[in-house]
């Protein structure tokens, strides 16, 4: 069965537990080919969102230990009888489009478990592509029987906001070994984080992690004043030893339960509308790139702007006029 197999047959195979079919379905979601995108939409239309599944986004600056933490958390969940799907948003090269698809080696226990599925998700250099592929892949994993879906982000740029908009809970990892690491946590990220954890709290760094957690808790209280519906807890964890991982999962569950059944349904419904708008913007960008009129007008307009013969605003107006005429 290929990615171009009939969506109904592919979905039936996914629901039966066929891991190869699951991989093909996700490949279909990630494809930029117009016919694949149309089949992906048909496949998604046949899905029933998993109301009881847990969707958790995990982010943090590079080097904070996201993969080790996810390996520890995923192993903890497997021991509790869960089936775990991991989507690792992968840092593709914008120059080559290639990706460092090493997530299965970074998560050896999850990568070899029959109850876990690890999938790198190349960004192809576009945030819209990440959003479209990842948001559509989450319900596919749920249809395959994975009741916990973990989405790892690269921890830079707007990918955090995009992922926070497609999960129930967003967990942010920080690091205590450098003041810059905590200072690098922007106010905007604190606003979208539901649970925070200072990771690598082990060995000689355990005391530093505790101090950093207290410092971070103070910053959280400034963003989420007393009386807020949910004040994100700040924990210490170690993906290496597993310390604090169970407590982090308990915090994730408490945050999810704080919505109540109706509140969670409303949140997911709102996320679906936001996804619809994002998919429209993504499709418009693809149509822009494929527009023959835009491609024909671009070289001359670019040269005029580079030689200061035409203001950028005027060039933009002419490109838009070319697109509208196509």
């Amino acid at each position: 069965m290929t990615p171009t197999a009939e969506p109904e047959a592919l979905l039936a195979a996914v629901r039966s537990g066929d891991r190869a079919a699951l991989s093909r379905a996700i490949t279909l979601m990630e494809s930029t080919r117009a016919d694949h995108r149309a089949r992906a939409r048909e496949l998604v239309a046949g899905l029933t969102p998993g109301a009881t599944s847990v969707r958790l986004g995990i982010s943090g600056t590079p080097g904070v230990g996201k993969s080790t933490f996810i390996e520890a958390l995923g192993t903890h969940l497997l021991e509790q009888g869960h089936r775990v799907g991991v989507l690792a948003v992968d840092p593709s090269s914008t120059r080559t489009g290639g990706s460092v698809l090493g997530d299965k080696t970074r998560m050896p226990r999850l990568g070899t478990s029959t109850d876990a599925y690890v999938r790198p998700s190349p960004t192809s250099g576009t945030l819209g592509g990440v959003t479209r592929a990842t948001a559509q892949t989450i319900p596919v994993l749920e249809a395959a029987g994975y009741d916990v879906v973990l989405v790892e982000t690269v921890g830079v740029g707007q990918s955090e906001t995009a992922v926070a908009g497609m999960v129930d809970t967003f967990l942010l990892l920080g690091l205590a070994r450098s003041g810059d690491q905590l200072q690098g946590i922007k106010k905007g990220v604190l606003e979208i984080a539901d649970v925070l954890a200072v990771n690598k709290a082990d060995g000689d760094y355990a005391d530093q992690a505790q101090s950093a957690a207290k410092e971070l808790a103070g910053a959280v209280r400034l963003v989420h004043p007393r009386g807020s519906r949910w004040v994100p807890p700040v924990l210490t964890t170690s993906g290496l030893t597993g310390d604090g991982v169970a407590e982090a999962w308990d915090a994730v569950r408490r945050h999810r339960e704080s919505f109540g059944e109706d509140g969670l349904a409303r949140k997911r419904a709102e996320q679906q509308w936001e996804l619809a708008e994002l998919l429209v913007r993504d499709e418009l960008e693809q149509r822009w790139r494929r527009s023959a009129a835009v491609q024909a007008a671009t070289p001359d307009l670019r040269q005029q702007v580079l030689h200061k013969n035409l203001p950028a605003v005027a060039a933009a107006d002419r490109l838009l006029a070319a697109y509208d005429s196509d």
Side-chain angles (χ1 to χ4, degrees):
M1 188 179 295
T2 68
T4 55
E6 289 300 322
E8 287 186 5
L10 190 56
L11 183 54
V14 168
R15 284 177 169 146
S16 73
D18 186 334
R19 290 173 71 94
L22 175 59
S23 297
R24 292 178 186 121
I26 297 175
T27 298
L28 194 62
M29 300 294 171
E30 295 171 347
S31 176
T32 57
R33 281 177 47 176
D35 58 331
H36 284 184
R37 289 161 67 95
R39 289 178 177 274
R41 285 194 289 272
E42 286 184 48
L43 194 151
V44 170
L47 293 171
T48 302
T52 59
S53 62
V54 178
R55 303 172 179 179
L56 173 62
I58 299 175
S59 187
T61 53
V64 77
K66 291 187 291 296
S67 297
T68 306
F69 176 84
I70 290 173
E71 169 83 343
L73 176 60
T75 302
H76 172 70
L77 295 173
L78 292 177
E79 291 170 352
Q80 292 193 330
H82 292 286
R83 300 190 73 224
V84 181
V86 180
L87 299 176
V89 177
D90 197 76
S92 296
S93 165
T94 56
R95 186 180 297 270
T96 66
S99 301
V100 185
L101 304 180
D103 301 270
K104 290 188 178 180
T105 57
R106 290 190 290 123
M107 304 174 193
R109 282 174 289 183
L110 294 180
T112 55
S113 171
T114 56
D115 287 322
Y117 182 87
V118 180
R119 175 78 177 201
S121 183
T123 68
S124 298
T126 64
L127 182 60
V130 175
T131 304
R132 177 176 59 80
T134 306
Q136 293 184 126
T137 300
I138 289 173
V140 175
L141 284 172
E142 292 170 345
Y146 296 95
D147 62 329
V148 179
V149 178
L150 308 178
V151 183
E152 174 192 0
T153 76
V154 293
V156 294
Q158 293 180 311
S159 63
E160 294 153 331
T161 304
V163 170
M166 63 182 75
V167 296
D168 305 326
T169 301
F170 189 74
L171 189 155
L172 180 68
L173 296 175
L175 198 61
R177 299 181 186 180
S178 167
D180 292 341
Q181 295 281 352
L182 289 182
Q183 291 172 14
I185 299 177
K186 306 296 185 184
K187 180 182 177 183
V189 180
L190 287 182
E191 290 173 343
I192 63 174
D194 303 305
V195 178
L196 297 98
V198 178
N199 198 32
K200 298 188 179 180
D202 45 53
D204 295 338
Y205 299 102
D207 290 341
Q208 290 184 39
Q210 291 292 342
S211 298
K214 291 179 181 177
E215 179 185 342
L216 195 52
V220 168
R221 284 193 291 272
L222 294 177
V223 178
H224 300 273
R226 183 177 299 177
S228 300
R229 186 193 65 82
W230 173 263
V231 178
V234 182
L235 314 169
T236 58
T237 58
S238 170
L240 184 63
T241 66
D243 290 343
V245 170
E247 288 77 5
W249 175 244
D250 286 342
V252 169
R253 291 187 60 84
R254 281 188 283 108
H255 171 258
R256 189 175 182 279
E257 291 167 0
S258 72
F259 286 104
E261 189 173 330
D262 292 341
L264 183 61
R266 281 196 299 273
K267 177 172 183 172
R268 289 192 173 184
E270 290 169 359
Q271 288 176 340
Q272 286 300 299
W273 174 245
E274 292 170 2
L275 172 61
E277 293 184 317
L278 283 168
L279 291 176
V280 169
R281 288 197 288 272
D282 184 44
E283 179 60 28
L284 287 174
E285 181 179 347
Q286 295 298 322
R287 293 183 184 185
W288 170 273
R289 294 180 186 278
R290 294 195 300 265
S291 169
V294 170
Q295 292 177 13
T298 295
D300 178 60
L301 291 173
R302 183 173 185 272
Q303 289 302 315
Q304 290 192 57
V305 171
L306 291 178
H307 292 88
K308 302 180 181 179
N309 295 323
L310 184 69
V313 174
D317 287 341
R318 293 188 189 181
L319 284 171
L320 289 170
Y323 177 75
D324 289 339
S325 68
D326 202 0

